[in-house]
Amino acid sequence: RWRPCDVSSLVKLQAQACVFDPKIFQLSAAAIGYDVCSKGFSQGVFVFEDTFEHWGNASLASNRMASALWATVSEAIPSANCGSGNVRGGEKALVFAAATPRFAETRDLDVSSGGWVEAELFLPPLGFDVAHEHCKTGYIGTVNLDFSANGGRNWTRLNSYEPAVYRSEKFF
């Protein structure tokens, strides 16, 4: 049965078209006669999503968003200190801060039918932390996007983002 996506939705279908047949919808007790109506990122089935707006506090366990299938998050918390993304951004983003290695790793996701990664990244420019004391400019280290198809035993690098190359005034 169709229902709009909310914080309790685990898998989400997004599409940019809307087809609705009210007669079939009514006769089928709302089981058929519709397609999905939505605008946003790309069309498709989302098997993971976190807007970072539904964490009750700074702990991963407090996240109420069912589709945020994180296995572990280290040295990061949702915060409004650095702004948020341009496409689906609310008020918060996941902010990494510490001298130790920082990472966010999802639980195993079923991408056997294919898929893609959509995210926005913000690497503050030089001097940004002067006016925004809780949003530090990164000088060393690399942001890596890796993928594992065997539960984390082996990893494939999808992309790397060096702060010196990707610094920007806004999310990209």
Side-chain angles (χ1 to χ4, degrees):
R1 180 172 162 94
W2 180 86
R3 68 180 175 89
C5 295
D6 62 20
V7 72
S8 68
S9 302
L10 183 59
V11 176
K12 303 170 184 189
L13 176 65
Q14 298 285 333
Q16 295 178 355
C18 183
V19 178
F20 181 71
D21 185 324
K23 192 172 228 173
I24 293 175
F25 186 77
Q26 183 179 18
L27 291 173
S28 69
I32 58 174
Y34 61 88
D35 197 350
V36 179
C37 309
S38 180
K39 294 180 181 176
F41 269 14
S42 299
Q43 301 181 88
V45 176
F46 286 63
V47 295
F48 177 94
E49 181 183 34
D50 195 348
T51 62
F52 307 108
E53 302 296 323
H54 302 285
W55 293 46
N57 56 41
S59 73
L60 178 58
S62 71
N63 191 352
R64 297 183 321 273
M65 194 163 197
S67 60
L69 301 173
W70 295 110
T72 185
V73 174
S74 178
E75 305 297 351
I77 60 169
S79 172
N81 289 334
C82 295
S84 62
N86 302 304
V87 176
R88 289 190 184 254
E91 294 180 10
K92 297 178 182 177
L94 191 61
V95 177
F96 292 85
T100 58
R102 305 164 300 247
F103 61 90
E105 186 177 319
T106 68
R107 295 183 216 158
D108 290 343
L109 303 172
D110 181 2
V111 292
S112 57
S113 297
W116 60 91
V117 175
E118 293 181 350
E120 292 182 86
L121 184 62
F122 178 56
L123 298 171
L126 297 174
F128 190 86
D129 47 353
V130 173
H132 305 86
E133 69 176 293
H134 298 293
C135 190
K136 303 294 183 192
T137 299
Y139 295 94
I140 60 171
T142 303
V143 176
N144 294 319
L145 177 60
D146 298 332
F147 171 79
S148 173
N150 59 11
R153 287 186 301 279
N154 302 98
W155 293 91
T156 301
R157 175 85 14 101
L158 298 176
N159 210 344
S160 292
Y161 302 91
E162 296 287 339
V165 175
Y166 286 95
R167 286 188 183 109
S168 174
E169 292 285 335
K170 59 184 182 178
F171 283 76
F172 63 92

